[in-house]
């Protein structure tokens, strides 16, 4: 298996893309990470993770770090002004077009968490992307958090919606790595735009008021599969996942991974991608579905 770093231009940014493959000519897969993380949620240099597993099955895998994340250039700093709007209108179209032009093929898109929200937003907004995407997979993807629990109040309403923006005000970004509650950092503007949707506001762009929800209802979505874990009680709870399914592709396949459903363990928001059991559990089923 081979891994190499490529870079894709998006505005003034150079987006790092980890290209992982075992053989030339496989079906391309673009994998998009979520909030407070980067592309390494999908791979390790030693060959672990879903991206590496898919490469071993013959797929041609591309794992980007969105702007300011991972090895993308430039990294976040005090004058960084971008938010999720730029990821939707610039980064994702640039990445889809890059993979399409490099491979000459349609691609599957696999997202984790908020990566699925920004991808679906971009897909709804830009019809030119539709012909490039064959299938869509989302792990633990929700747009708004509808549940009313103490865990939601403390971690979402207090920590994410209030404290994180205050911490980001001093530096211009939330230093999640230093504070040890995330794998990567986020800009103050990203937090503001993301929080707007998490708080159950309409699916409109906070920057230019583009109505993603209206557009989503008028397009033909690719065949889609949403997966989440039964122990994901907040960031990808099954009720919130289903609410986002209704906003996008109501006929999408939805799976709740648990021992009761026949899985090897009760998965949560992160180990649904990183647990060693996944290689014998839902990863093979995913490959079969992608190849079908």
């Amino acid at each position: 298996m081979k891994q190499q770093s490529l870079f894709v231009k998006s505005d003034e940014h150079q987006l790092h893309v980890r290209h992982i493959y075992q053989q030339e000519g496989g079906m391309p897969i673009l994998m998009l990470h979520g909030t407070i993380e980067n592309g390494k949620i999908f791979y390790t240099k030693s060959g672990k993770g879903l991206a590496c597993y898919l490469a071993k099955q013959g797929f041609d895998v591309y794992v980007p770090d969105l702007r300011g994340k991972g090895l993308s250039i430039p990294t976040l700093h005090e004058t960084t002004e971008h938010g999720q709007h730029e990821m939707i209108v610039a980064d994702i179209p640039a990445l889809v077009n890059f993979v399409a032009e490099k491979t000459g093929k349609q691609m599957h898109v696999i997202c984790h968490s908020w990566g699925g929200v920004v991808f679906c937003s971009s897909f709804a907004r830009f019809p030119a992307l539709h012909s490039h995407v064959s299938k869509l997979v989302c792990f633990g993807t929700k747009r708004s958090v509808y549940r009313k629990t103490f865990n939601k109040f403390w971690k979402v309403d207090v920590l994410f919606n209030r404290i994180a923006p205050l911490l980001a005000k001093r530096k211009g970004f939330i230093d999640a790595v230093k504070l040890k509650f995330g794998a990567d950092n986020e800009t103050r503007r990203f937090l503001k735009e993301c929080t707007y949707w998490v708080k159950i506001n309409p699916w409109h762009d906070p920057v230019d008021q583009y109505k993603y929800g209206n557009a989503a209802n008028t397009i033909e979505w690719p065949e889609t599969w949403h997966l989440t874990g039964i122990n994901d009680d907040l960031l990808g709870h099954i009720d919130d996942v289903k609410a986002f399914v209704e906003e996008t592709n109501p006929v999408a396949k939805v799976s709740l991974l648990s021992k009761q459903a026949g899985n090897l363990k009760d998965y949560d928001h992160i180990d649904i991608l990183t647990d060693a059991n996944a290689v014998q559990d839902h990863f093979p089923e995913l490959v079969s579905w992608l190849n079908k």
Side-chain angles (χ1 to χ4, degrees), residues 33-38 69 160 174 176-177 181-186 190-191:
H33 65 78
T35 304
I36 316 182
E37 62 185 30
N38 54 49
K69 306 293 194 66
F160 190 79
I174 180 71
V177 176
F181 70 86
D184 217 314
N185 304 325
E186 297 290 356
F190 176 91
L191 292 171

Side-chain angles (χ1 to χ4, degrees), residues 46-164:
S46 63
K48 297 179 181 179
L50 178 56
C52 300
Y53 177 85
L54 292 171
K56 292 173 185 176
Q57 311 309 310
F59 292 98
D60 188 19
V61 184
Y62 298 83
V63 186
D65 298 321
L66 294 173
R67 62 175 60 198
K69 306 293 194 66
L71 299 178
S72 291
I73 305 169
T75 56
L76 300 188
H77 49 80
E78 292 183 4
T79 59
T80 300
E81 288 293 332
H82 65 76
Q84 72 177 11
H85 175 82
E86 286 76 14
M87 296 176 184
I88 293 168
V89 302
D91 293 359
I92 290 174
L95 291 165
V96 170
N97 290 329
F98 170 77
V99 175
E101 291 171 8
K102 188 176 188 303
T103 65
K105 298 180 179 182
Q106 275 194 316
M107 71 196 75
H108 301 316
V109 177
I110 297 178
C111 309
H112 180 234
S113 195
W114 202 256
V117 177
V118 292
F119 175 77
C120 287
S121 301
S122 190
F123 191 85
R125 184 165 184 152
F126 300 110
L129 302 181
H130 297 182
S131 63
H132 297 312
V133 180
S134 177
K135 292 186 178 182
L136 171 63
V137 180
C138 293
F139 286 90
T141 293
K142 56 85 186 64
R143 185 177 73 85
S144 301
V145 179
Y146 291 86
R147 303 185 74 232
K148 295 181 179 180
T149 65
F150 177 79
N151 196 31
K152 186 262 185 181
F153 169 75
W154 174 243
K155 292 184 178 179
V156 176
D157 297 341
V158 177
L159 289 179
F160 190 79
N161 292 352
R162 299 177 188 177
I163 295 178

Side-chain angles (χ1 to χ4, degrees), residues 134-136 216-217 219-227 241-255 289 292:
S134 177
K135 292 186 178 182
L136 171 63
N217 290 327
I219 66 173
E220 183 175 349
W221 289 89
E223 190 174 358
T224 305
W225 187 7
H226 283 262
L227 305 93
V241 169
K242 287 180 177 179
F244 188 60
V245 169
E246 289 299 315
E247 285 189 304
T248 51
N249 184 4
V251 300
K253 178 179 179 180
V254 179
S255 296
W289 185 82
K292 185 171 61 177

Side-chain angles (χ1 to χ4, degrees), residues 15 34 44 91 100-101 108 112 118 124 135 161 204 234 239 256 277 281:
L15 306 179
T44 66
D91 293 359
E101 291 171 8
H108 301 316
H112 180 234
V118 292
K135 292 186 178 182
N161 292 352
H204 299 168
L234 181 63
D239 292 343
L256 180 62
N277 286 299
D281 206 349

